[in-house]
Amino acid sequence: MNLQTIKLKLLFSAVAAASTLAILGLPATAAPVENTQRRDERMQWWREARFGMFVHWGLYSGLAGTWDGKPVGTTGGMEWIQQRVKADTETYAERAIPLFKPAPGFAKTWAALAKEAGCRYIVFTSKHHDGFALHDSKVSDFDAGSILQRDLVKEVVEAARAQGLKVGFYHSVIDWHHDQYGYELSKQLPHPLKGKPYPNGTRDHNKYLDFLHAQVDELTSNYGTLDILWWDYSSQDFQGDTAWRAMDLMSKVRAKQPAIIMNNRLFRSPEAGWKSMGTDGFTGTLDPKYGDFITPEQHIPATGMPGIDWETCMTLNTTWGYSEHDHAWKSHELLIRNLIDIASKGGNYLLNIGPKADGSIPIQSVEALKAIGGWMKVNHEAIYATTASPFAQLPWGRATSKGNTLYLHVFEWPADGQLVVPMGADVVRAVLLAAPGQALTVESAGMQTKISLPAKAPDSIASVIRLELRSAPVIAVF
Ligand code: FHN
């Protein structure tokens, strides 16, 4: 164990001790706040990773957007099918369980595809809103251990680790199965029985919270190092300590996993980076005590979020969980340019696959991720460990930075072969990443730098120029 991990463990053990003392009602010493240096060290791999695979997979995958033999819809999240058909948990389980048949080795195909695509981490659903846990849980009988006699979380973690991927659990705090989950406590959070009285009379939400904390304890104790916990989700009328005992939950997680990175979705307040219930409703602020990163969903913030860690999560079509009716697949061009756009704004891209009931991946998803991988094979240095573009905008594409090196991602190839960059720069060397042995001619005068390019772009989606500079460029301001 390296010194850094020891320091982090000591720090977060102190936090856990403080929490334990608080629960016992004993005077707790103030938990030490993580300083900026330590936080930067903890976040470093994630900031450098830039690209991860999201996986939504569970009982809903077997239903595939179909109920009573008819499509529930052709767009939108079919991992919500239970809510969309307003099925109680017994009916939902009765229909879904027989269809959910994970094939042996499914996880290895996920991990291999993530690796080939150039993803550095994988975040998958340990439990979605339907409440079905993919791990072998000792505190539930609605889990893969009880129903399938398998620990699917273990299978994914092992496959991911074998490919050198960092591992994250998406864990839903919303739960449509548990009979103590107090869905009447929120008007904004979804539930299949919303508006109806509790079928079991009264409910004690605290009992659900005991269960939620116990399952998270299993997930953070039994699968080795966990790199990310991706919580989902809270509302403005039901969030934080009231809804989830959030601070206690996070400090328990940090005590078990000192280097873990967690998102901001146990909360829905401005301090936690939220300004509305919309998945694009973000402020440009985040107090780290509410989470480590902000989570724009299905969109890319226009100017990024300077000074804040953020990750755009996005589907390949329009649903997170598999649907046999959703054919609205994003083009490979859009996906690759999204990755570049996000990196040029200093964010991460968490791109989702929705495997089928047997764990197999829809061919369109495989082809998309392989296309991204093909681009990354040539251009990965222009994405990994880069920082945001110094330009507010560029007419022909995007830029990313790495020290005194600029990467110019050219979407629109100049017809006259002259790429104009609005900056003054002392250029050492310029090459296309597709042809690194061939220096390009560069002229920089005043606030304009011109690069002479070959007639044909090496990549019609995005061709990247590596521009090595002696010092920071002077950016033209319009
Ligand atoms: O309701 C979920 C949805 O099903 C999906 O998991 C997304 C992924 O970020 N999160 C919630 C909607 O914001």
Side-chain angles (χ1 to χ4, degrees):
M1 189 183 302
N2 65 35
L3 179 60
Q4 176 50 29
T5 306
I6 292 168
K7 281 195 289 183
L8 279 169
K9 279 188 175 298
L10 287 173
L11 168 70
F12 287 113
S13 303
V15 171
S19 310
T20 307
L21 287 170
I23 290 166
L24 298 172
L26 300 173
T29 53
V33 176
E34 182 185 40
N35 67 28
T36 305
Q37 184 194 335
R38 281 208 180 113
R39 184 163 185 278
D40 289 344
E41 287 164 359
R42 181 168 57 85
M43 294 297 293
Q44 184 177 344
W45 76 262
W46 186 89
R47 292 170 178 164
E48 293 182 354
R50 287 281 171 256
F51 185 30
M53 175 187 270
F54 213 175
V55 186
H56 278 68
W57 187 61
L59 293 186
Y60 42 83
S61 308
L63 294 167
T66 300
W67 190 264
D68 287 340
K70 293 193 289 295
V72 170
T74 55
T75 61
M78 284 306 155
E79 69 289 347
W80 273 49
I81 189 166
Q82 183 188 348
Q83 197 271 353
R84 292 185 60 167
V85 300
K86 303 280 183 275
D88 60 39
T89 190
E90 293 77 16
T91 306
Y92 171 76
E94 196 178 287
R95 301 281 190 88
I97 287 175
L99 302 172
F100 187 59
K101 298 176 180 161
F106 73 91
K108 291 177 183 167
T109 58
W110 297 3
L113 181 60
K115 184 78 173 186
E116 184 174 353
C119 298
R120 285 283 171 85
Y121 58 102
I122 182 169
V123 178
F124 68 99
T125 46
S126 50
K127 181 190 86 166
H128 204 266
H129 306 336
D130 63 358
F132 184 74
L134 295 194
H135 72 291
D136 180 7
S137 177
K138 299 307 175 219
V139 296
S140 171
D141 59 4
F142 196 52
D143 68 302
S146 308
I147 304 292
L148 300 168
Q149 293 70 53
R150 284 173 71 175
D151 188 327
L152 301 171
V153 164
K154 185 170 185 284
E155 293 180 41
V156 178
V157 169
E158 288 175 351
R161 290 265 177 260
Q163 290 287 354
L165 298 168
K166 295 280 193 179
V167 174
F169 297 156
Y170 161 112
H171 200 73
S172 172
V173 287
I174 293 170
D175 192 304
W176 297 338
H177 172 77
H178 200 280
D179 67 5
Q180 297 302 314
Y181 177 82
Y183 60 80
E184 286 180 348
L185 298 172
S186 170
K187 292 188 174 12
Q188 294 176 319
L189 290 181
H191 193 283
L193 305 183
K194 194 167 194 173
K196 293 179 183 169
Y198 294 138
N200 51 329
T202 58
R203 289 190 169 189
D204 178 354
H205 190 70
N206 273 312
K207 287 184 180 161
Y208 167 67
L209 295 185
D210 293 341
F211 164 79
L212 168 68
H213 285 228
Q215 273 202 328
V216 170
D217 185 62
E218 290 178 325
L219 290 166
T220 53
S221 304
N222 303 339
Y223 299 92
T225 301
L226 179 61
D227 301 296
I228 297 166
L229 232 173
W230 212 99
W231 304 109
D232 205 22
Y233 67 88
S234 300
S235 58
Q236 289 169 302
D237 74 349
F238 200 56
Q239 59 150 328
D241 289 337
T242 309
W244 321 117
R245 292 191 214 132
M247 288 302 179
D248 179 35
L249 187 56
M250 291 177 81
S251 66
K252 285 174 186 170
V253 168
R254 292 199 189 283
K256 284 280 172 75
Q257 299 284 345
I260 201 163
I261 292 170
M262 294 189 269
N263 73 5
N264 65 336
R265 292 194 173 198
L266 288 182
F267 305 90
R268 201 107 189 191
S269 64
E271 307 75 36
W274 299 90
K275 64 181 176 192
S276 76
M277 278 304 291
T279 53
D280 61 349
F282 292 94
T283 64
T285 56
L286 174 61
D287 179 334
K289 75 180 179 187
Y290 298 110
D292 294 309
F293 62 95
I294 282 184
T295 52
E297 182 171 313
Q298 301 284 35
H299 80 284
I300 300 167
T303 56
M305 294 187 185
I308 296 281
D309 291 300
W310 60 276
E311 173 193 76
T312 282
C313 56
M314 199 176 275
T315 52
L316 283 167
N317 44 16
T318 71
T319 177
W320 301 94
Y322 176 63
S323 170
E324 59 195 341
H325 311 294
D326 186 330
H327 308 297
W329 300 100
K330 293 179 177 72
S331 70
H332 299 173
E333 177 179 286
L334 177 61
L335 295 168
I336 291 168
R337 289 185 178 178
N338 279 348
L339 173 62
I340 295 166
D341 185 32
I342 290 166
S344 78
K345 292 166 178 166
N348 283 20
Y349 196 24
L350 187 63
L351 190 53
N352 183 76
I353 62 169
K356 302 178 183 177
D358 62 356
S360 64
I361 304 166
I363 184 63
Q364 297 88 342
S365 301
V366 173
E367 288 168 352
L369 283 159
K370 287 190 172 186
I372 297 170
W375 186 86
M376 284 290 272
K377 203 175 174 76
V378 174
N379 303 291
H380 59 80
E381 72 173 84
I383 298 291
Y384 296 143
T386 59
T387 52
S389 169
F391 304 97
Q393 59 93 25
L394 290 164
W396 38 258
R398 300 292 186 274
T400 50
S401 299
K402 195 178 285 183
N404 275 340
T405 296
L406 270 179
Y407 293 98
L408 307 178
H409 303 255
V410 185
F411 297 171
E412 312 303 332
W413 199 251
D416 64 359
Q418 294 298 305
L419 189 76
V420 178
V421 189
M423 66 177 182
D426 183 357
V427 179
V428 175
R429 182 174 166 81
V431 297
L432 282 162
L433 290 187
Q438 178 64 44
L440 300 171
T441 304
V442 183
E443 289 169 39
S444 191
M447 297 307 283
Q448 193 174 77
T449 297
K450 274 188 181 178
I451 305 170
S452 302
L453 298 177
K456 191 170 177 343
D459 188 307
S460 61
I461 293 177
S463 301
V464 181
I465 297 162
R466 180 204 298 138
L467 208 54
E468 294 166 57
L469 309 179
R470 281 191 185 81
S471 56
V474 181
I475 308 302
V477 181
F478 296 107

